[in-house]
Structure formats: C-alpha cells, structure tokens
Amino acid sequence: MASTHHGVVYTKKWVVDLILDVAGYVPGTGISDKVIIEPSCGCGAFLTVIAGRLADDAIAVGKGWTSLGNAIRAYDIDSASIETARKAAVEALMTRGCPAIQARELCEQWIVHGDFILDDVPAADFIVGNPPYVRAVEIDRTKRSLYVKRLSSVTTGCDLYVSFFDRGLDTLKVGGTLCFICADRWLQNKYGTLLRSRIGTDCDLVSLVRMHGVDAFDDEVDAYPAVTTVRKGVAADHLKFVNCAPEFNEADATAVLDWLMDDEPDLVGERFEAFEIDKPTGDRMYPLGNHDLVRFVSQACERLPKLEEAGVKLGIGIATGCDDVFLTEDDDLVESDRMVPIFYMRDHRRGNDDRQRWLVNPWNDDGTLVNLDKYPRLKTYLETNKERLSRRYVAKKNKTAWYRTIDKLTPGLLDRDLLLMPDMAAQPDPILSHGKYPHHNCYWITSDEWDLEVLGGLLMADTTRRFIDALGVKMRGGTLRFQAQYLRLVHMPKYIQISDTNKLGLSRAFNEKDRALATKFAEAAYKEAAE
C-alpha cells in the first residue's frame, strides 16, 4: 500500500491468508472461473497472494494463462503503488511457471489506475482487501460529495471505508462475498446507521473477527480493525463472532477458520472466544465484546427499558465557544444576576472541588439573549472581548447575537439535584451535585422518579460500563466515552422494579464510592427486574 498518510497500511501475510480463506477464495474450488476485486491494492499485499492462488487453481484444472484476464481487477489511485503491485504480481505468476510476457500482460489487464468507488467496475464473486482509513473531514470535499450522491449508505459524516463497503455490496453478484479488514466503528456509531440498515435487506453480515490491538499490520493503526465478512443474499438471524485478545496471532488463525466454516458450538481458545450473536434489527448498534458481556447486554436490551424510558432525563453541559471569556473565577466580574456557578469536571477530577468558577450568562430565563443596555457592566465586559467572540462560527451565523454562548442554559437545572458523568473515563463515575450548572465536558442526569443516590449507585456499577463497552466506540488505553448517545443505550430496571434491599444497597455503595458493592446490588436489581 502507498503510505500511512494516504490512510493505508500494509497487512501482514498471515492476515491476508486468513481473509482469503474466510472469503472462500481457495485454490481447488474453481476460483479461476470467478471474478475477484481488490478495491485498494496499494503495493500488492493482497494482490500477490490472490495472483498466486488464482495461478494454482488454473494449473490444477488445466486452464491456460490467457483465459485469466478477467479473473482479477485491482484498483488504486496512487500510480507509484500500482507499479510496485504490478512487479510483485508478475513475480508471483512467474514463480508458478507463467511466461514473463504473459505475466506482464495479465497484470496490466488486472490492475487499474482508478477510483473503485466512482469508476465502472465489473460484477464480482469476491471483493477483498484493506480499505484505506480516512476520516470524513479529511476526504477531498468534491469526492466526498460524489460518494454521497452515488452511494445509498453514505453521508458526509462517513469515514472513507464505509464507501468501500457500500460500493462493494453494490458490485457483488448474488451469492458473492465481501471480506475486508478495517474499522468496525460502523457497527456502533451514528455514521454507520444506513449501512447497518442495509444489512438484512440485500446482504448478510456473516461473520466478524474482532482484532482490536492485534498485530495485524506492519504499521500502527488508529482504528480498531476487524475482519468483516458480508454475503450478498438472504440474511440469517445470527452473526458468527470472534473476539480476539491482543496476543491473537497466526497460530490461532487455523482454529478460528475451522470454527467459521463449520456449524460448531462456542469455542474458547487461549487468545480468543468464538460464539454466535443474535443480530440486532434495523439500524440498531451491535453489542460486541466477550461472551458474558454480549450476553448480559443483549438480554437487558431485550427485556428492560432504555435509560430515558425508565424515568431518567439527561443532557450535556454548556458549551460556550470561548471559555476564556465566559468562564471566570472572579465572582464580581459583572452584575451578580449574570453570574452562574458552574461545575467544572476537570477541577473535580484533580481534587480541586473548592475552586469556584462562574459562567458569565448572557441568557434570560425564557431563552432569549439579555438586552446589554440593561446590564452596563456585562455590556462593557463583553464588548471588550467583542472581537474574539465575533470570530466564532456561532456568532458569524447571526451577527446580532455575537455575545451568545453556543448552547443555551436548560431552565431549572440549578434548582435540581444532578448526577454528573464525565465524558471520558475508564469507569462510570457519576457525581452528585446541586446548585452548579454543568460545563460541557460532562453530562447531567436527573429524574422525577428516582432517588438520585440509588440511581448513582446503579450508574456507577459495572453493569453500566458493560453497555458502554459493548455498544460504544473504543479509545486508546481502554478509555470509554460516556456520551449521551451511548448513555441512552443503557437499559435498566425501572425504579419501582427494584426491591428496597437493593435500593438501600445501591445508595450505600454510591455514598461509599464502592463500585464492587454497587455492582453486586445492580446485578441483583437487573436479575429481579428481568424475571
């Protein structure tokens, strides 16, 4: 492949072999009568192995070299990489007895300098490879618009590999197989919604070998990869799933392949777990992780209401767009009724709970901006900083509202007890607060039905972490994102379903900050609610 700055990396040979085996591109099975596409061939990590397997199959059945011209199509937009790939593929053919002239002619025909997503491509029996990982904001805008216009499952927020999936599925023949190693984020985030919806219509997600942290590439990658296999045709109810430990290696690949190919029960290896998952319906996110984690989350999703359906409200703290101006430690900076005490999560996590900060509030209670002429000190302060505030995107959209914060304040929050959840943490860590408005790096939770100490105990338990772990996008170092979009996926008992004993236990665990105790009573609460 070309280089990591193009969003591509080299795939190790044993991983290439595993992908081709999983896809079914195996000599002796008639692959010389099939068409395989490599949509982003780079320097030929896949292509050389494909060429070798095709040659072995052709030799076995007595096919001539000239009959193989349409058996492979490999695409790339980088001309230097294509030259490298051609040379490698020619060598792979020649080592199997193909004359040099024919080998070069075949590779000239096979390898196309073009864009797989936009160019006309032949219908294929197999599509395999490692699509480049390029974030949505880094894709050329003109091309991104063309991708969105052409592909039904792609939006402007999709990372590039989603376009390769969608174009690949459009290109597959009925019964054909697509097998990529790339990020699995589309199964668990917003931009994957349309692609998840497509699964189960004209195609089937057959298997997923999740290789987070596995040494599968020659370069370090930012995205967590998985070997994802999709077949064009009627969908089954189950997904064959392999959850690999970071130490998973070539020695494990044979056992995993055997399990994927057969109707065997769950398989536990030293460095992997293999089991079936009931597929979520429609565009719902897929719970992924170890067996116990997936089972717990799947059963809770089936039997219990989501957090907001269980009488819990949540939202995000205020984003100002210019904290240097809108946040202050001077409680007498402007008129007192324009000063709102604010909860700043970073102070709490650093043990600086005594540190006081205030929000300079430009909003009336009804959500309109205040008339600055009625607040001379506020007016003087904001106009002193008008140049900085006016440069913000939110101010450029409405120049008369140049002094607004990005978000408005939610009425009544200052008068309520709140549970505040850090955006990023290794474990759920709700904090009980009153009389301070939350800053945007945390999410607020409240309820008219719940005792918030009981709710805090439930949310701090490992049961909550399991939902975020199974349904949320992972970050490096094991950090989880406790964003509203993922908190809303937590399923939990209703307050009235929890026994007094478990309520008391959860409240005690929350006050004592005892996560193990909270987990004990939370698990009991989940069990009694599901019965």
Side-chain angles (χ1 to χ4, degrees):
M1 297 182 181
S3 61
T4 54
H5 77 275
H6 286 248
V8 293
V9 291
Y10 298 94
T11 310
K12 290 184 179 295
K13 172 66 164 54
W14 70 268
V15 179
V16 172
D17 283 328
L18 174 63
I19 291 167
L20 291 172
D21 289 342
V22 170
Y25 196 78
V26 179
T29 61
I31 57 175
S32 53
D33 292 321
K34 306 288 187 179
V35 177
I36 187 168
I37 291 178
E38 217 279 73
S40 180
C41 69
C43 291
F46 280 84
L47 181 60
T48 52
V49 182
I50 291 169
R53 290 188 176 208
L54 175 62
D56 290 341
D57 189 83
I59 292 168
V61 297
K63 270 186 169 286
W65 298 108
T66 55
S67 67
L68 304 179
N70 294 320
I72 298 174
R73 284 295 179 272
Y75 296 82
D76 207 281
I77 60 173
D78 185 73
S79 55
S81 296
I82 285 175
E83 276 307 305
T84 303
R86 281 199 178 113
K87 290 177 182 178
V90 166
E91 185 176 340
L93 290 176
M94 291 176 61
T95 59
R96 287 166 172 80
C98 182
I101 293 176
Q102 287 183 304
R104 284 193 290 269
E105 288 177 350
L106 281 172
C107 292
E108 284 290 331
Q109 190 173 352
W110 287 346
I111 305 173
V112 180
H113 184 201
D115 188 330
F116 167 76
I117 300 170
L118 297 178
D119 291 355
D120 291 332
V121 299
D125 300 284
F126 303 95
I127 300 177
V128 299
N130 176 8
Y133 185 78
V134 181
R135 296 187 185 277
V137 295
E138 297 170 349
I139 302 172
D140 176 82
R141 288 189 177 184
T142 301
K143 278 203 168 185
R144 185 171 63 187
S145 296
L146 291 172
Y147 295 161
V148 171
K149 185 177 180 180
R150 176 159 196 163
L151 301 170
S152 62
S153 301
V154 176
T155 67
T156 54
C158 288
D159 293 344
L160 182 59
Y161 73 91
V162 176
S163 294
F164 279 83
F165 265 110
D166 207 34
R167 178 64 169 143
L169 294 176
D170 288 343
T171 304
L172 273 183
K173 298 176 183 179
V174 174
T177 301
L178 178 151
C179 193
F180 286 160
I181 181 166
C182 62
D184 59 6
R185 289 176 172 171
W186 67 278
L187 291 168
Q188 298 186 309
N189 64 13
K190 185 176 180 179
Y191 73 57
T193 299
L194 293 176
L195 185 55
R196 290 196 300 274
S197 295
R198 181 169 185 176
I199 300 298
T201 55
D202 64 343
C203 54
D204 180 28
L205 179 59
V206 177
S207 65
L208 188 77
V209 182
R210 204 177 208 205
M211 301 175 72
H212 291 191
V214 174
D215 185 20
F217 306 104
D218 289 338
D219 298 291
E220 189 173 344
V221 297
D222 291 330
Y224 289 112
V227 174
T228 306
T229 306
V230 185
R231 188 162 294 128
K232 195 72 169 285
V234 179
D237 294 331
H238 297 88
L239 163 70
K240 301 202 81 166
F241 178 67
V242 182
N243 190 51
C244 303
E247 298 78 22
F248 183 89
N249 57 47
E250 184 175 2
D252 303 301
T254 300
V256 165
L257 180 64
D258 289 343
W259 182 80
L260 290 172
M261 296 298 106
D262 296 324
D263 292 327
E264 296 293 333
D266 298 352
L267 177 65
V268 178
E270 185 178 347
R271 292 172 289 272
F272 68 89
E273 283 183 293
F275 54 96
E276 287 192 339
I277 294 175
D278 291 333
K279 289 181 186 170
T281 57
D283 64 6
R284 288 172 57 195
M285 296 180 183
Y286 282 63
L288 302 174
N290 66 54
H291 186 272
D292 290 342
L293 178 72
V294 171
R295 181 176 59 182
F296 172 82
V297 171
S298 297
Q299 290 179 350
C301 288
E302 181 181 339
R303 300 174 184 175
L304 299 174
K306 292 181 180 179
L307 180 140
E308 288 177 314
E309 297 168 346
V312 178
K313 304 172 185 176
L314 82 145
I316 190 171
I318 188 168
T320 69
C322 191
D323 283 353
D324 288 348
V325 173
F326 285 107
L327 298 189
T328 179
E329 295 182 53
D330 181 358
D331 63 348
D332 193 37
L333 183 65
V334 297
E335 288 84 356
S336 60
D337 62 338
R338 295 295 92 208
M339 302 290 286
V340 175
I342 198 159
F343 183 94
Y344 199 71
M345 183 61 72
R346 194 171 300 166
D347 288 343
H348 171 78
R349 302 185 83 171
R350 292 175 178 175
N352 297 326
D353 287 313
D354 293 335
R355 188 174 184 177
Q356 297 294 313
R357 297 180 191 260
W358 283 264
L359 169 73
V360 177
N361 179 22
W363 299 101
N364 291 311
D365 291 342
D366 63 1
T368 60
L369 284 168
V370 298
N371 183 342
L372 291 180
D373 290 334
K374 295 183 178 180
Y375 295 94
R377 293 176 65 194
L378 176 66
K379 180 177 182 180
T380 299
Y381 175 69
L382 292 176
E383 288 188 340
T384 300
N385 293 282
K386 184 173 182 178
E387 183 179 353
R388 292 182 65 190
L389 295 178
S390 297
R391 288 198 297 263
R392 299 172 303 150
Y393 176 73
V394 70
K396 290 178 180 178
K397 285 175 60 179
N398 183 352
K399 293 185 178 180
T400 62
W402 60 269
Y403 57 97
R404 65 165 291 161
T405 54
I406 293 176
D407 300 325
K408 296 181 180 182
L409 276 71
T410 300
L413 279 193
L414 284 174
D415 302 321
R416 304 195 63 153
D417 288 338
L418 301 173
L419 289 170
L420 303 179
M421 188 80 79
D423 179 359
M424 295 185 289
Q427 299 285 350
D429 186 23
I431 301 139
L432 189 60
S433 175
H434 184 89
K436 290 187 176 183
Y437 201 93
H439 189 235
H440 73 89
N441 57 356
C442 64
Y443 294 84
W444 57 263
I445 296 168
T446 191
S447 177
D448 295 326
E449 301 175 25
W450 285 75
D451 178 319
L452 287 196
E453 292 183 353
V454 175
L455 181 58
L458 190 69
L459 291 176
M460 74 178 287
D462 186 66
T463 47
T464 300
R465 181 202 60 78
R466 294 173 199 171
F467 284 93
I468 307 301
D469 193 6
L471 295 167
V473 172
K474 306 297 180 294
M475 300 180 66
R476 287 191 177 277
T479 301
L480 300 175
R481 299 297 301 267
F482 292 91
Q483 297 172 303
Q485 63 175 315
Y486 297 122
L487 289 172
R488 288 190 171 100
L489 299 177
V490 174
H491 288 244
M492 59 193 294
K494 292 184 177 181
Y495 188 66
I496 58 173
Q497 293 178 292
I498 302 176
S499 68
D500 289 342
T501 298
N502 287 329
K503 286 176 182 174
L504 287 171
L506 289 167
S507 178
R508 175 187 158 201
F510 178 71
N511 285 308
E512 295 178 0
K513 301 186 184 302
D514 188 333
R515 196 179 312 278
L517 187 64
T519 300
K520 171 187 173 182
F521 286 104
E523 288 178 339
Y526 271 87
K527 183 177 180 180
E528 66 186 0
E531 290 177 347

